[in-house]
Amino acid sequence: MVKIAFFETKDYDKAAFAPYEKAGETEFIFFETKLTEMTADLAKGCDAVCVFVNDNVSAAVIDKLYEYGVKIIALRCAGFNNVDVRHAYGKIHVVRVPAYSPYAVAEHTMALLLTSIRRIHKAYIRTRDFNFSLNGMTGFDLHGKTVGVVGTGRIGRVFIDICRGFGMNVIAYDAFPAADSGINYVSLDELFEKSDIISLHCPLTDDTRHMIDAEAIEKMKKGVVILNTSRGALIDADALLDGIKARKVGAACLDVYEEEADLFFEDRSGHILNDELLARLISMPNVIVTSHQAFLTAEALNNIAETTMNNIRSYYENNGICDNELCFRDGRIDTLKKDRKEKCF
Ligand code: NAI
């Protein structure tokens, strides 16, 4: 019997995982709370913990889980900046879902862009109030505009295809450009200088933290539209707000926010929001915020549940070998999904 503690779970997670619970083989325990040092005790007696983007799997949490005999940390997501993978090496295996639907995230990114520049969010509210005025609703054509895509992995490439379908001119920056991809790679500075729209699709690392800061915004075109469906800390939100107030940034669409962990995924409508920066950003007519929703499609949830359960099963049935393990070795994290022949440790 494999006992799995799920943290940060919502009704849609439970519904997606329910078909995979097999009597006598697996037992699922769902917690709404996030995994933190304080809540790690809930995993006592469990073989695996299953976590999401805002669970805090720090070294201290890993030490506690190890002490309780937890064997696997299964991420229900691709990004792993919230897990101290280096510290877990040799103690607990960390597995993830490298791709569940790049379409979900890329399509949400385009939905945000269209909503913003065609003022759909304004029109929805106006017409509900029988206000049929078009004043202030002027948008612009995407056709012929230059979009700069930062990160040309799974999601970035789907987004590039969507943009090409709109007749946009695509330029891209990637620290590891894909050979023979037909993508027009430029330097990050050139991308900042030439893009009408900038969309972030790279992971959050020490190198990419605050890649959009005051200096970067300074280099951009006046009126640039910034899209972030990747990770909040890619953008220095203070600098973004300054750029918006200075009319340099024309619009921002944010599915993620650096300080989202204590806010997103919860109904805070009856509360006083203590995050003044987020409140100010949301108050702007040219900012759209969604609460880390880009992944949320039926297809993605099913893929997440299926891959997560396969990852855990691999550990037990394949001698601990799992293609989706985040294996810390030789000073780096091996994230490549490939035909692993041996255990990580
Ligand atoms: P991926 O691993 O397929 O692609 C990431 C790309 O970023 C790679 O081409 C890589 O070479 C590039 N990259 C790495 N370091 C870079 C750097 N310093 N500068 C520029 N590019 C760099 O990842 P995928 O699946 O496309 O996901 C991208 C990001 O999207 C994830 O890291 C995650 O943070 C975010 N995400 C957000 C979701 C949401 O619901 N909002 C859902 C899923 C992922």
Side-chain angles (χ1 to χ4, degrees):
M1 170 77 87
V2 180
K3 214 167 156 182
I4 307 169
F6 290 77
F7 286 86
E8 208 184 356
T9 49
K10 304 289 179 217
D11 288 347
Y12 46 78
D13 296 307
K14 292 179 200 170
F17 275 91
Y20 294 93
E21 190 170 18
K22 300 262 177 333
E25 285 179 29
T26 44
E27 184 185 340
F28 294 173
I29 309 167
F30 293 104
F31 298 111
E32 280 189 24
T33 183
K34 285 191 249 301
L35 176 60
T36 64
E37 216 179 320
M38 278 179 48
T39 62
D41 288 358
L42 293 169
K44 267 185 191 166
C46 290
D47 306 286
V49 294
C50 186
V51 299
F52 198 47
V53 293
N54 288 325
D55 289 292
N56 178 10
V57 195
S58 62
V61 169
I62 288 166
D63 287 342
K64 277 193 166 190
L65 297 177
Y66 183 56
E67 184 192 324
Y68 302 151
V70 170
K71 307 277 187 303
I72 312 167
I73 296 164
L75 283 145
R76 302 195 295 280
C77 52
F80 50 88
N81 51 285
N82 55 329
V83 182
D84 192 334
V85 180
R86 176 189 291 253
H87 192 79
Y89 181 66
K91 296 189 177 89
I92 306 184
H93 297 271
V94 183
V95 295
R96 67 165 181 158
V97 183
Y100 32 93
S101 174
Y103 311 103
V105 183
E107 289 170 15
H108 189 79
T109 311
M110 182 48 89
L112 285 172
L113 174 59
L114 286 170
T115 301
S116 171
I117 65 159
R118 301 310 302 268
R119 315 279 192 265
I120 307 294
H121 54 310
K122 301 276 175 206
Y124 177 76
I125 291 167
R126 273 196 197 179
T127 54
R128 284 175 71 87
D129 202 25
F130 307 118
N131 174 355
F132 302 112
S133 156
L134 292 182
N135 283 333
M137 298 297 220
T138 310
F140 62 81
D141 290 6
L142 286 180
H143 186 270
K145 295 292 181 304
T146 296
V147 59
V149 177
V150 181
T152 56
R154 280 168 286 247
I155 296 169
R157 287 201 200 197
V158 175
F159 186 66
I160 287 173
D161 287 345
I162 293 173
C163 290
R164 285 181 176 154
F166 275 76
M168 300 172 81
N169 167 38
V170 180
I171 56 175
Y173 169 76
D174 196 300
F176 310 95
D180 304 327
S181 58
I183 295 171
N184 180 12
Y185 286 106
V186 296
S187 69
L188 194 54
D189 275 355
E190 194 177 341
L191 183 143
F192 288 154
E193 284 157 21
K194 291 193 170 158
S195 301
D196 300 298
I197 295 141
I198 294 174
S199 196
L200 305 180
H201 300 288
C202 61
L204 175 62
T205 64
D206 289 343
D207 290 339
T208 61
R209 185 175 298 275
H210 288 190
M211 66 162 24
I212 305 263
D213 57 9
E215 205 183 321
I217 291 171
E218 185 62 36
K219 292 174 187 151
M220 294 176 193
K221 278 188 178 179
K222 185 172 163 54
V224 63
V225 178
I226 299 176
L227 313 171
N228 188 7
T229 56
S230 199
R231 284 292 179 269
L234 294 176
I235 296 182
D236 175 349
D238 279 297
L240 177 66
L241 181 61
D242 288 344
I244 290 165
K245 288 202 284 195
R247 284 31 174 201
K248 178 80 191 250
V249 175
C253 302
L254 312 172
D255 186 52
V256 285
Y257 172 65
E258 186 164 7
E259 302 300 330
E260 70 179 48
D262 292 333
L263 296 168
F264 283 16
F265 306 134
E266 305 299 332
D267 179 0
R268 304 272 172 206
S269 56
H271 298 227
I272 307 290
L273 190 67
N274 285 327
D275 189 321
E276 301 204 0
L277 180 55
L278 181 62
R280 188 77 175 100
L281 282 168
I282 289 176
S283 78
M284 290 288 177
N286 51 355
V287 174
I288 296 180
V289 174
T290 51
S291 52
H292 210 133
Q293 181 188 330
F295 76 100
L296 196 63
T297 64
E299 291 81 358
L301 288 172
N302 289 337
N303 290 340
I304 287 170
E306 189 182 9
T307 306
T308 301
M309 293 314 296
N310 283 340
N311 286 343
I312 294 173
R313 205 173 295 124
S314 250
Y315 174 81
Y316 286 96
E317 294 175 6
N318 195 21
N319 192 28
I321 301 168
C322 178
D323 287 341
N324 293 328
E325 180 158 8
L326 294 169
C327 188
F328 180 79
R329 265 188 190 170
D330 307 325
R332 58 182 286 274
I333 300 165
D334 180 5
T335 58
L336 292 178
K337 185 177 181 334
K338 60 188 174 203
D339 198 12
R340 282 219 170 93
K341 296 279 183 283
E342 52 179 35
K343 286 163 78 163
C344 172
F345 62 85

